[in-house]
């Protein structure tokens, strides 16, 4: 399962994951997981942690600085990596995942 798949069909991805770990969810539980795993809602939870827990940033940010949750958008990597870095990453992925059946959309 890839991030892009989860973004396209969050409910379906959660069902697939739950099936994989042999976890049966009621419709209510599934609704809660879908709601709470939405990036906007995770950010709200992190904001509450930062506000209500002393040094909460240590729980919500790497080294208290870089947020664990970013934008939650497909393709945001383009804002962080150069074309050359991305080409190197693509080559490593192709080499290491060859024959696994996983398919990636390389740009």
């Amino acid at each position: 399962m890839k991030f892009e798949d989860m973004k396209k069909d969050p409910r379906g991805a959660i069902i697939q994951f739950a099936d994989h770990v042999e976890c049966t969810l009621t419709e209510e539980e599934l609704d809660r997981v879908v709601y709470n795993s939405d990036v906007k809602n995770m950010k709200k939870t992190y904001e509450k942690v930062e506000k209500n827990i002393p040094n909460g940033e240590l729980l919500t940010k790497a080294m208290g600085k870089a947020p664990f949750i970013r934008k939650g958008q497909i393709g945001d990597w383009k804002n962080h990596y150069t074309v050359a870095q991305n080409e190197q990453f693509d080559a490593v992925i192709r080499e290491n995942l060859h024959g696994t059946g996983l398919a990636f959309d390389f740009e």
Side-chain angles (χ1 to χ4, degrees):
M1 182 178 310
K2 301 182 301 278
F3 177 73
E4 292 81 359
D5 300 331
M6 293 184 289
K7 287 296 288 183
K8 290 175 188 172
D9 182 13
R11 188 177 197 84
I14 291 165
I15 291 169
Q16 183 180 354
F17 181 79
D19 288 346
H20 178 73
V21 296
E22 299 178 358
C23 178
T24 303
L25 298 173
T26 66
E27 284 299 314
E28 182 181 319
E29 291 168 329
L30 182 57
D31 290 342
R32 268 199 338 256
V33 173
V34 170
Y35 178 84
N36 288 315
S37 61
D38 181 88
V39 172
K40 290 179 286 188
N41 296 324
M42 288 192 295
K43 285 184 178 184
K44 288 178 188 175
T45 299
Y46 273 34
E47 288 169 5
K48 289 178 189 175
V49 168
E50 290 173 3
K51 180 180 175 185
N52 298 321
I53 297 176
N55 297 316
E57 296 84 13
L58 295 176
L59 299 172
T60 62
K61 297 177 180 171
M63 306 297 285
K65 297 178 183 176
F68 288 123
I69 300 175
R70 294 189 352 218
K71 295 179 184 177
Q73 297 174 340
I74 294 172
D76 187 46
W77 61 266
K78 295 175 191 176
N79 298 317
H80 302 275
Y81 300 103
T82 66
V83 171
Q85 289 171 322
N86 184 57
E87 288 171 353
Q88 290 175 330
F89 185 72
D90 289 352
V92 169
I93 293 296
R94 283 189 183 101
E95 179 182 334
N96 289 297
L97 297 181
H98 178 74
T100 65
L102 291 172
F104 290 89
D105 299 323
F106 294 103
E107 293 183 45

